[in-house]
Amino acid sequence: MANNKNEFTIAIFCDLRKAFDTVNHEILLKKLFNIGVRGIELEWFKDYLSNRKQFVSINNVNSNLLSIILGVPQGSILGPLLFLIYINDLPSITNLKSSLFADDTMLLDSHIDLHTLVSNVNSEFQKVKSYFNQNKLSLHPEKTKFVLFTNKKNVGTPPIVFNYNDINNPISNADLIYPMECINSLPSSSIRFLGVMIDPLLNFKEHINKLNSKLATGLYYLRTSKNFLNQTALKYIYYVLCYSYLDMY
């Protein structure tokens, strides 16, 4: 929509360090209370999260048991749901548009003027950083990146700088400020989000190339195994591959 209006768009792809493992139980229980989980149900969740222990075993030698004071159980049915509840109030603290899927978070904004857009995004991203700090979540400095989307030609890579302080210290300390990497200036100018390679021009060429490579591998194995499979099975697998290929286009 922004491209159709000839606007610039900036998207920040946030990567959280050990997101599921750093969920604060006290904060999570407060958020459950705020959305209406109270009484016996809230006590059930409190009991579910508390008194969990873990140990490490190496060569049949076990460490001492330690209590798990943070995080939601991974591999469980409730783990992803509890994390979604934990982070679901993020959109309410910023004017940036947000896309949340488990621990993958994308923030974006658009404007006709690039300098105004950068100022807006910088201001709003400060709120997001404060939110993460207040909720005991930490951005990954090397994996949190941003993309400038535009259909304007000869824009090049403008001097856009977004900084964030990853370890919850005063941002005035220059040693703790990291510049966020811009995808536009990288040799491989795309970023993976929810399994899709997204590039600044939104032509999805890199994603299509990767998909072609995977399909070529799949078709090679089909050809080599055709003598061991009946025609019905081969046709079924072939149609699945072709449908996946066309669907991604």
Side-chain angles (χ1 to χ4, degrees), residues 66-234:
L66 292 175
S67 297
I68 301 175
I69 59 175
L70 295 173
V72 292
Q74 294 196 44
S76 65
I77 295 174
L78 283 177
L81 175 63
L82 290 174
F83 182 80
L84 289 174
I85 293 172
Y86 192 77
I87 201 174
N88 199 49
D89 55 349
L90 170 60
S92 65
I93 58 91
T94 177
N95 292 323
L96 297 175
K97 296 181 179 66
S98 57
S99 172
L100 307 178
F101 186 87
D103 57 340
D104 289 314
T105 302
M106 179 179 66
L107 307 165
L108 69 158
D109 196 13
S110 304
H111 201 277
I112 192 67
D113 179 69
L114 182 57
H115 294 289
T116 302
L117 174 61
V118 172
S119 177
N120 291 344
V121 173
N122 253 320
S123 176
E124 290 298 318
F125 192 57
Q126 298 297 322
K127 301 176 185 178
V128 175
K129 290 186 295 184
S130 296
Y131 171 88
F132 286 141
N133 289 336
Q134 291 169 6
N135 287 274
K136 314 298 182 183
L137 296 171
S138 177
L139 284 168
H140 198 298
E142 296 178 357
K143 295 183 179 180
T144 297
K145 303 176 182 180
F146 74 93
V147 181
L148 171 66
F149 297 104
T150 179
N151 56 7
K152 298 181 181 180
K153 297 181 179 179
N154 303 321
V155 174
T157 304
I160 302 173
V161 178
F162 295 122
N163 291 319
Y164 54 84
N165 185 342
D166 187 58
I167 52 179
N168 198 17
N169 276 297
I171 201 165
S172 59
N173 187 340
D175 294 333
L176 300 176
I177 298 175
Y178 307 95
M180 191 185 299
E181 200 167 32
C182 179
I183 293 297
N184 302 64
S185 59
L186 299 180
S188 177
S189 57
S190 63
I191 188 168
R192 188 181 184 89
F193 184 68
L194 301 181
V196 179
M197 302 301 297
I198 301 176
D199 59 275
L201 297 176
L202 293 178
N203 57 31
F204 298 99
K205 286 184 177 179
E206 185 168 344
H207 181 75
I208 292 170
N209 290 336
K210 287 183 178 294
L211 185 62
N212 282 339
S213 177
K214 290 182 178 180
L215 287 172
T217 302
L219 290 172
Y220 167 77
Y221 287 123
L222 270 179
R223 288 194 297 270
T224 56
S225 61
K226 64 181 180 180
N227 295 327
F228 306 98
L229 296 172
N230 60 45
Q231 291 298 315
T232 302
L234 282 171

